[in-house]
Amino acid sequence: MIPIESKTELQVQKGIRQAEDELVIWIQEALDKAKYGDLEESQFRNLVRVSDTTESVEAIKNFIRYQVGRDKKWGRGKESLAEKIIEDIDSNIKKTAQIIAECCQTDFKPIWLELIRRYLGYGARHLKYLRDKDKP
């Protein structure tokens, strides 16, 4: 018999895997449609690293805002990449985490963080594609 904690964890992981298509679509749309400058892969990967090393959603958003303050590569204003990512974190990703947590009857914050990490990881991949797709 599978212990309850293990069963819940398996359900959470299944929910996260089922949300992956949405995560990929959301970050690709953000990178394809938002306004931003010549954002380098290394700058986006720094954001991924921050998300991997914290248990705080607010720290991730703080880092994004810090980057906006440093230069214009993340864009500025309502239609910027930075604002779109923060909006996705606070709306789409948060709602998805809450649904998974509700279904599995567990805390939503660790799920939210895992979804954010995956979303940003997929973003790093898509940015690489966007930057290099036309190279010979």
Side-chain angles (χ1 to χ4, degrees), residues 29-77:
E29 284 180 354
L31 284 161
D32 291 346
K33 296 178 181 176
K35 295 181 181 174
Y36 58 99
D38 187 24
L39 184 61
E40 297 168 28
E41 292 168 57
S42 61
Q43 292 170 307
F44 202 96
R45 290 219 177 268
N46 286 341
L47 173 58
V48 173
R49 262 190 297 285
V50 166
S51 75
D52 285 340
T53 59
T54 186
E55 296 301 315
S56 169
V57 173
E58 292 305 317
I60 296 167
K61 294 188 295 186
N62 175 270
F63 183 79
I64 295 168
R65 290 183 181 113
Y66 164 71
Q67 292 298 322
V68 169
R70 289 185 61 216
D71 63 45
K72 295 180 182 176
K73 291 183 178 183
W74 288 86
R76 298 233 167 114

Side-chain angles (χ1 to χ4, degrees), residues 16-115:
I16 289 170
R17 284 192 311 275
Q18 289 175 335
E20 283 183 306
D21 280 345
E22 291 174 318
L23 298 173
V24 171
I25 290 166
W26 293 331
I27 191 61
Q28 286 181 178
E29 284 180 354
L31 284 161
D32 291 346
K33 296 178 181 176
K35 295 181 181 174
Y36 58 99
D38 187 24
L39 184 61
E40 297 168 28
E41 292 168 57
S42 61
Q43 292 170 307
F44 202 96
R45 290 219 177 268
N46 286 341
L47 173 58
V48 173
R49 262 190 297 285
V50 166
S51 75
D52 285 340
T53 59
T54 186
E55 296 301 315
S56 169
V57 173
E58 292 305 317
I60 296 167
K61 294 188 295 186
N62 175 270
F63 183 79
I64 295 168
R65 290 183 181 113
Y66 164 71
Q67 292 298 322
V68 169
R70 289 185 61 216
D71 63 45
K72 295 180 182 176
K73 291 183 178 183
W74 288 86
R76 298 233 167 114
K78 189 121 179 91
E79 296 179 13
S80 70
L81 177 60
E83 286 302 315
K84 179 60 179 152
I85 290 173
I86 290 170
E87 178 185 311
D88 278 346
I89 288 171
D90 285 340
S91 62
N92 293 333
I93 299 171
K94 186 175 186 177
K95 285 178 203 163
T96 302
Q98 288 169 328
I99 291 167
I100 294 168
E102 215 172 274
C103 290
C104 300
Q105 298 178 347
T106 190
D107 183 26
F108 97 97
K109 190 173 179 191
I111 299 168
W112 191 18
L113 280 163
E114 180 60 25
L115 292 174

